Amino acid sequence: AQKVTQAQTEISVVEKEDVTLDCVYETRDTTYYLFWYKQPPSGELVFLIRRNSFDEQNEISGRYSWNFQKSTSSFNFTITASQVVDSAVYFCALSEADSSYKLIFGSGTRLLVRP
Amino acid sequence: NAGVMQNPRHLVRRRGQEARLRCSPMKGHSHVYWYRQLPEEGLKFMVYLQKENIIDESGMPKERFSAEFPKEGPSILRIQQVVRGDSAAYFCASSLTRPETVSYEQYFGPGTRLTVT
């Protein structure tokens, strides 16, 4: 069965701190895709990254970085030097090759960055 | 290029009424997906449509819910005889390519918040 677990319901940090959001997934497929989305208070969903299961290279984009580890079925997201504008709910999602249009979302982690 | 448009952004319906949610995909996109987000939860897949075709409706409740994506015009998610449990945010996404392609990505709209009183 496919499943995405985001165990951290809510995280609160002070501005400029680094913060890591955890994501653990379950799938039987060998080909799958992992995503992160940001949902700011305004409610829309903003795409952050897509990763396929054959690419375990870590990715860095500005203050954002992602650590994909197949051995632990994890796809963690780190924000370096957090800012107030990073406050949002962050969702990790999974899709499998045979139904890659069907994103399976975790329950989200609410990040609050305090000034 | 305008993003995915959804309207209305907020919709209030009394129990028993019908709710119609509209989604205009990004220009040139012919694949549309609907998701539902219940309060404090992640999004759940409902249906995948291409123009005039329902590809996968495995996430749609069996009764009262229907979706279409006509040749012309927006995609419509229709909920008949709404109940309080239908209160949620409904998101539409669209894609340019088929899911199997390397560049595949779903672009999400801002969502419609449905409140059933």
Side-chain angles (χ1 to χ4, degrees), chain A residues 6 35-37 39 89-92 105-108, chain B residues 37 41-42:
Chain A
Q6 294 180 256
F35 304 79
W36 276 94
Y37 283 88
Q39 187 176 41
V89 180
Y90 290 86
F91 291 100
C92 180
F105 284 81
S107 53
Chain B
Q37 183 182 27
E41 292 187 14

Side-chain angles (χ1 to χ4, degrees), chain A residues 76-89:
Chain A
N76 296 339
F77 172 33
T78 297
I79 302 175
T80 304
S82 59
Q83 300 175 2
V84 173
V85 293
D86 295 327
S87 296
V89 180

Side-chain angles (χ1 to χ4, degrees), chain A residues 2 5 15 18 20 33-34 42 47 50 55 64 68 73 78 82-83 102 115:
Chain A
Q2 330 92 321
T5 301
E15 211 172 12
D18 298 349
T20 295
Y33 307 91
L34 295 164
S42 48
F47 169 83
R50 173 185 188 249
D55 182 1
Y64 294 171
F68 177 26
S73 297
T78 297
S82 59
Q83 300 175 2
K102 193 183 294 188

Side-chain angles (χ1 to χ4, degrees), chain A residues 37 39 42-45 47 50 91 100-103 105-107 110, chain B residues 33 35 37 42-43 45 48 56 58 91 99 102 104-106 108 113:
Chain A
Y37 283 88
Q39 187 176 41
S42 48
E44 75 274 20
L45 275 170
F47 169 83
R50 173 185 188 249
F91 291 100
S100 55
Y101 51 83
K102 193 183 294 188
L103 298 184
F105 284 81
S107 53
R110 183 178 299 277
Chain B
Y33 317 85
Y35 291 81
Q37 183 182 27
L43 282 72
F45 170 82
Y48 165 28
D56 181 349
S58 59
F91 286 90
V102 171
Y104 175 74
E105 184 182 327
Q106 289 186 18
F108 280 82
R113 270 108 190 124

Side-chain angles (χ1 to χ4, degrees), chain B residues 94-114:
Chain B
S94 73
S95 68
L96 174 64
T97 59
R98 291 164 58 85
E100 305 82 58
T101 55
V102 171
S103 59
Y104 175 74
E105 184 182 327
Q106 289 186 18
Y107 295 83
F108 280 82
T112 293
R113 270 108 190 124
L114 171 66

Side-chain angles (χ1 to χ4, degrees), chain A residues 4-47:
Chain A
V4 175
T5 301
Q6 294 180 256
Q8 302 151 309
T9 308
E10 194 164 319
I11 300 176
S12 179
V13 299
V14 176
E15 211 172 12
K16 296 194 176 65
E17 282 184 21
D18 298 349
V19 58
T20 295
L21 282 59
D22 297 333
C23 173
V24 173
Y25 61 91
E26 290 175 36
T27 177
R28 290 198 195 118
D29 275 17
T30 54
T31 303
Y32 52 90
Y33 307 91
L34 295 164
F35 304 79
W36 276 94
Y37 283 88
K38 174 182 179 180
Q39 187 176 41
S42 48
E44 75 274 20
L45 275 170
V46 178
F47 169 83

